[in-house]
mmCIF file of all heavy atoms in Angstrom:
data_model
loop_
_atom_site.group_PDB
_atom_site.id
_atom_site.type_symbol
_atom_site.label_atom_id
_atom_site.label_comp_id
_atom_site.label_asym_id
_atom_site.label_seq_id
_atom_site.Cartn_x
_atom_site.Cartn_y
_atom_site.Cartn_z
ATOM 1 N N GLY A 11 85.144 80.099 117.418
ATOM 2 C CA GLY A 11 85.323 79.583 116.102
ATOM 3 C C GLY A 11 84.510 80.274 115.038
ATOM 4 O O GLY A 11 84.863 80.589 113.969
ATOM 5 N N GLN A 12 83.234 80.604 115.382
ATOM 6 C CA GLN A 12 82.360 81.316 114.545
ATOM 7 C C GLN A 12 82.922 82.762 114.208
ATOM 8 O O GLN A 12 82.938 83.202 113.017
ATOM 9 C CB GLN A 12 80.886 81.524 115.104
ATOM 10 C CG GLN A 12 80.007 80.384 114.985
ATOM 11 C CD GLN A 12 78.696 80.696 115.675
ATOM 12 O OE1 GLN A 12 78.503 81.312 116.683
ATOM 13 N NE2 GLN A 12 77.660 80.160 115.020
ATOM 14 N N SER A 29 90.990 96.766 94.479
ATOM 15 C CA SER A 29 91.115 97.591 93.261
ATOM 16 C C SER A 29 92.518 97.455 92.690
ATOM 17 O O SER A 29 92.824 98.186 91.742
ATOM 18 C CB SER A 29 90.843 98.953 93.560
ATOM 19 O OG SER A 29 91.802 99.530 94.504
ATOM 20 N N GLY A 50 107.521 109.651 87.598
ATOM 21 C CA GLY A 50 107.082 110.908 87.344
ATOM 22 C C GLY A 50 107.945 111.654 86.435
ATOM 23 O O GLY A 50 109.202 111.409 86.326
ATOM 24 N N VAL A 92 94.325 101.776 73.049
ATOM 25 C CA VAL A 92 93.539 102.413 74.117
ATOM 26 C C VAL A 92 94.166 102.150 75.517
ATOM 27 O O VAL A 92 94.788 100.995 75.690
ATOM 28 C CB VAL A 92 92.113 101.831 74.178
ATOM 29 C CG1 VAL A 92 91.312 102.347 75.359
ATOM 30 C CG2 VAL A 92 91.376 102.152 72.933
ATOM 31 N N GLU A 115 85.077 94.744 79.288
ATOM 32 C CA GLU A 115 84.142 94.203 80.211
ATOM 33 C C GLU A 115 84.714 93.926 81.563
ATOM 34 O O GLU A 115 85.836 93.509 81.677
ATOM 35 C CB GLU A 115 83.627 92.864 79.608
ATOM 36 C CG GLU A 115 82.505 92.243 80.488
ATOM 37 C CD GLU A 115 81.888 91.023 79.802
ATOM 38 O OE1 GLU A 115 82.541 90.049 79.718
ATOM 39 O OE2 GLU A 115 80.744 91.124 79.450
ATOM 40 N N THR A 129 79.998 103.962 78.991
ATOM 41 C CA THR A 129 79.303 102.878 79.561
ATOM 42 C C THR A 129 78.281 102.330 78.557
ATOM 43 O O THR A 129 77.440 103.035 78.091
ATOM 44 C CB THR A 129 78.563 103.192 80.897
ATOM 45 O OG1 THR A 129 79.552 103.694 81.813
ATOM 46 C CG2 THR A 129 77.961 101.895 81.462
ATOM 47 N N SER A 136 73.886 92.925 90.432
ATOM 48 C CA SER A 136 74.563 93.590 91.549
ATOM 49 C C SER A 136 73.845 95.025 91.695
ATOM 50 O O SER A 136 73.430 95.574 90.708
ATOM 51 C CB SER A 136 76.073 93.885 91.365
ATOM 52 O OG SER A 136 76.605 94.590 92.408
#
Side-chain angles (χ1 to χ4, degrees):
Q12 279 182 320
S29 62
V92 171
E115 184 174 69
T129 303
S136 175

